[in-house]
Amino acid sequence: MARFGILQLLVLFLPPVWAASNSKTSLTLVFQNNLNASDDANHVGFILLDLMDQRDAAGACAAIGESLVSRTSIQTHQADFVHSFSYLVYAGTVHPGQSYYIQNGTVTMAEAGNGTTFQSVPAPGRELPVLCTQSSNQDQPGTAVATKSNELTISSGGNTYIGFRNQKSFRFLGIPYADPPQRFVYSTLYTPTGKTINATAYGSVCAQAGSGSEDCLFLNIQTPYLPKPNSTARLRPVMFWIHGGGFLNGAGSDPASDGGNLASREDIVVVTINYRVSTLGFLAIPGTNITGNYGIADQITALEWTIKNIASFGGDPSQITIIGESAGAGSVRTLLGSLPAKGKFQGAIAMSNLGGGVDLGLTRDYATTYSSYLTVAASYARAGQNIFAAAGCNQTDLAAQIACLKQVPALTLVGYSSAAAYVVQDGYYVNTEELDVVNANGSAAYVPVIFGVTANDGASFATYPSTPVANEAAGIEASLGISASAAQAIIDSGLFPYYDTGNVTLDAFNVSQRVATDNEFRCVDQATVYAAARSGAFPAAYFYQMERTIAGYDPNHLGGPPATPGFPAGNPHLPYFRLHGSDMPWVFGNLGTLREPADLFSIQLTTAYFGAFVKQGDPNPAAAALRVRGYDTALEAIDATGPWDPVSGVDGPIRLMDYPAVASGFIDLPQCAWLNYSISYYLDGGS
Ligand SMILES: *[C@@H]1O[C@H](CO)[C@@H](O)[C@H](O)[C@H]1NC(C)=O
Ligand SMILES: *[C@@H]1O[C@H](CO)[C@@H](O)[C@H](O)[C@H]1NC(C)=O
Ligand SMILES: *[C@@H]1O[C@H](CO)[C@@H](O)[C@H](O)[C@H]1NC(C)=O
Ligand SMILES: *[C@@H]1O[C@H](CO)[C@@H](O)[C@H](O)[C@H]1NC(C)=O
Ligand SMILES: *[C@@H]1O[C@H](CO)[C@@H](O)[C@H](O)[C@H]1NC(C)=O
Ligand SMILES: *[C@@H]1O[C@H](CO)[C@@H](O)[C@H](O)[C@H]1NC(C)=O
Ligand SMILES: *[C@@H]1O[C@H](CO)[C@@H](O)[C@H](O)[C@H]1NC(C)=O
Ligand SMILES: *[C@@H]1O[C@H](CO)[C@@H](O)[C@H](O)[C@H]1NC(C)=O
Ligand SMILES: *[C@@H]1O[C@H](CO)[C@@H](O)[C@H](O)[C@H]1NC(C)=O
Ligand SMILES: *[C@@H]1O[C@H](CO)[C@@H](O)[C@H](O)[C@H]1NC(C)=O
Ligand SMILES: *[C@@H]1O[C@H](CO)[C@@H](O)[C@H](O)[C@H]1NC(C)=O
């Protein structure tokens, strides 16, 4: 029995298989990222290690599958080196005038100015930080694949995580933050310990029409920094992304929200999460313990995991900004007013949150539920009953009905045409009908916020007529799905003037999309920040409108501006609709194809604003930070246009995001008043 073969003996006496980790030194991935995807190949990164003796330097690099950086590599990427290390000095990560061990000696960056000097013989016995190569050069989320040479392990909360790195960041994907959830039961924090978690591939998306599973409560982390175990030195602020998808679909693995570019560009940690959606996330049945908001509760569980563990991944648990778009923005708004979420984040950004004003017969009722929450009974009346019927679970006894529904396969359940996709007033996660921004320190968390819209969010929700229309009224009627008299009332108001390009269908649609943008997005969101500014509900409330975008949610197949000579990817100087969701590349810096340089410059500017907000709760980056890092385009724009001020009164101000981004007053206030969503809506008590 106890006979060892030669192989077993070898295994016993060989040193343990080497595993790259942060056990002996912190790891900082330094990459000077200009967000120009086609330029990635022209840049190199570095991995910065802690102080050590020169004798240990080469081995420490080898331990992560790299080698000491060569003098030539620094010389050929001098600007990248100087900018990124000047920034680390600025940020207090390294000392001014610091020397680093590199191949065959040291490199020292001059304390003032930008020169570097190389020395081949370092002072003996000196401990210096070490610069290793960073050779994992996959630059896009889709091409970032773990291999033996780019994997590394870290420990957190009693578990070991295997992650990997690409050109932009360290990546830990598919981390289970909760125990596998039971159907219609609130999630609880992941409990196992002593596990090795393979965090090199995304976990399953949550069950949604066509794909996913119920075991889906995973999150993903992109980080520039992995501290030594239990170290809390130099932790980076955290951006916590909550995806959209109408509470029906979506996932944290969406490449559009990949945080790698932000991690390197803004030196922050990005967390993206899955949460339960559709009927599995939001079913609510009156008189039972199925009280809904499972998806919202999952978001809070993910926040709790983040607070508990993120320091091990380089993130500061006391500096978390929650951010989401569409239903993600609706989630942010919900969390702002949720008692169980209070104190779990320090800033909030809601991109294109929905909320309805007047019932124009639009998808208005649908939009309304994002900001004015249904009761459990109302949710059940809309969705619950139909779901039981669709499942054939509509026996008379409710307990039997629920037991029956629990047996329906997940993908069948979320495949019905009726789905529960509403935040409800469950009395615990949500205990008010609306976010209370009228009363200072009412239900709302006291944190700085940014709200904003794309210029034409409503163009994704109004319907482009399937056949040409004869006149404006007919076009509005068709694209908003409203009566002839309601369409005529819009025209008669004189507030939504017809802009004549000679294409009646398009021009009528243009009127409709403005009505839809105001009625479903702009009015509620402007009113929210205005009321908050008046009441002091938040320490500061900022507002933006995205003026330059690409793609987005386009059920009408409107497309972008046409190509013209010199603009093969579309000419952004021609008219086009800034659709819902089309601002994602501006916030994450993930744009593949530029139409013109200003696309890149405006992305560099937007990420600077949003990055600054994540770092300091104020979207205005310090000029010195931009200067040392060489973020010249952002610096020039900000110098030219002045600060982005918080909303302070009836005139805003708001920021029109383009290159540069300029200040403006609130937009369409008379239109919002006509839509019965006047700016004083909340102040008058709302309804
Ligand atoms: C270094 O400074 C000089 C003079 O200010 C400037 O011309 C040069 O572009 C700078 N180089 C880098 C890499 O910043
Ligand atoms: C520099 O370091 C490399 C790698 O360790 C080594 O092969 C080479 O001989 C060294 N060159 C000098 C001049 O010391
Ligand atoms: C909800 O009630 C049912 C029936 O009484 C019970 O079996 C189930 O455990 C309860 N679920 C929770 C989460 O309390
Ligand atoms: C981790 O998961 C990836 C992707 O599923 C797989 O290729 C790899 O072999 C796994 N690694 C370990 C150590 O289990
Ligand atoms: C980190 O802290 C935990 C909990 O205090 C402890 O169990 C663990 O041994 C520490 N790890 C290191 C490497 O010091
Ligand atoms: C269940 O729903 C089906 C489909 O809507 C309907 O035909 C049937 O009458 C319902 N049964 C009960 C008991 O309500
Ligand atoms: C709200 O509460 C915060 C602390 O939680 C406090 O600093 C702030 O002054 C309060 N605002 C008002 C208007 O009372
Ligand atoms: C009107 O504009 C739409 C959208 O750009 C286009 O599809 C349609 O062909 C145009 N119609 C005419 C008559 O030019
Ligand atoms: C829509 O109308 C506005 C004026 O209200 C105009 O500036 C814009 O170019 C129009 N958009 C399109 C796509 O025609
Ligand atoms: C992006 O990078 C490519 C490749 O280096 C370069 O040709 C192009 O000019 C860059 N675009 C901008 C706007 O800087
Ligand atoms: C706004 O409310 C007033 C008073 O309730 C009503 O008369 C008016 O029709 C409403 N406006 C619209 C556009 O529905």
Side-chain angles (χ1 to χ4, degrees), residues 78-80 82-83 113-115:
Q78 172 88 0
D80 280 7
V82 168
H83 286 141
N114 59 14

Side-chain angles (χ1 to χ4, degrees), residues 60 104 116 148 154 248 273 282 288 351 373 376 415 441 633 644:
N104 308 117
T116 48
K148 278 280 160 275
I154 68 146
L248 287 168
I273 66 162
F282 292 91
T288 71
M351 300 163 55
Y373 311 119
V376 169
N441 293 344
T633 56
W644 174 3

Side-chain angles (χ1 to χ4, degrees), residues 640-682:
T641 59
W644 174 3
D645 288 324
V647 171
S648 58
V650 74
D651 294 325
I654 74 168
R655 204 81 179 159
L656 302 180
M657 305 297 268
D658 198 330
Y659 190 77
V662 297
S664 153
F666 281 129
I667 293 174
D668 278 7
L669 291 186
Q671 287 75 6
C672 290
W674 185 80
L675 288 163
N676 284 345
Y677 222 106
S678 79
I679 206 101
S680 60
Y681 175 82
Y682 279 108

Side-chain angles (χ1 to χ4, degrees), residues 243-500:
H243 68 77
F247 295 121
L248 287 168
N249 51 50
S253 50
D254 183 345
S257 63
D258 190 88
N261 275 315
L262 284 182
S264 51
R265 176 85 185 172
E266 292 301 326
D267 198 26
I268 59 176
V269 176
V270 179
V271 176
T272 64
I273 66 162
N274 289 353
Y275 58 91
R276 280 175 285 175
V277 291
S278 186
T279 298
L280 292 164
F282 292 91
L283 182 67
I285 305 172
T288 71
N289 59 10
I290 299 184
T291 46
N293 294 341
Y294 298 100
I296 299 296
D298 293 341
Q299 295 165 8
I300 297 173
T301 306
L303 270 171
E304 285 166 357
W305 187 95
T306 302
I307 291 166
K308 209 169 149 218
N309 292 278
I310 203 66
S312 306
F313 298 83
D316 183 348
S318 67
Q319 225 185 331
I320 298 175
T321 294
I322 58 172
I323 172 172
E325 189 267 345
S326 195
S331 300
V332 165
R333 191 184 170 95
T334 304
L335 293 176
L336 276 167
S338 174
L339 277 175
K342 252 191 180 176
K344 296 193 164 77
F345 55 89
Q346 287 70 41
I349 304 177
M351 300 163 55
S352 299
N353 169 63
L354 294 93
V358 174
D359 187 356
L360 294 168
L362 287 164
T363 47
R364 173 258 177 188
D365 281 351
Y366 166 76
T368 301
T369 61
Y370 285 82
S371 295
S372 183
Y373 311 119
L374 296 180
T375 60
V376 169
S379 165
Y380 185 67
R382 271 189 201 211
Q385 289 171 336
N386 300 338
I387 292 163
F388 280 123
C393 290
N394 54 345
Q395 300 89 336
T396 43
D397 174 38
L398 192 54
Q401 287 188 223
I402 292 169
C404 171
L405 207 61
K406 285 189 173 171
Q407 299 309 312
V408 177
L411 291 187
T412 307
L413 190 55
V414 295
Y416 300 137
S417 59
S418 265
Y422 310 103
V423 172
V424 293
Q425 299 173 50
D426 68 291
Y428 179 69
Y429 294 102
V430 176
N431 62 9
T432 56
E433 188 188 345
E434 299 210 17
L435 179 67
D436 182 358
V437 285
V438 175
N439 301 295
N441 293 344
S443 66
Y446 189 69
V447 299
V449 300
I450 299 178
F451 277 72
V453 295
T454 66
N456 311 105
D457 266 312
S460 301
F461 293 86
T463 307
Y464 199 89
S466 51
T467 52
V469 296
N471 55 53
E472 184 190 1
I476 296 173
E477 194 182 331
S479 51
L480 294 182
I482 57 178
S483 67
S485 61
Q488 195 57 49
I490 288 171
I491 295 171
D492 292 346
S493 75
L495 291 166
F496 302 92
Y498 183 78
Y499 179 80
D500 192 350

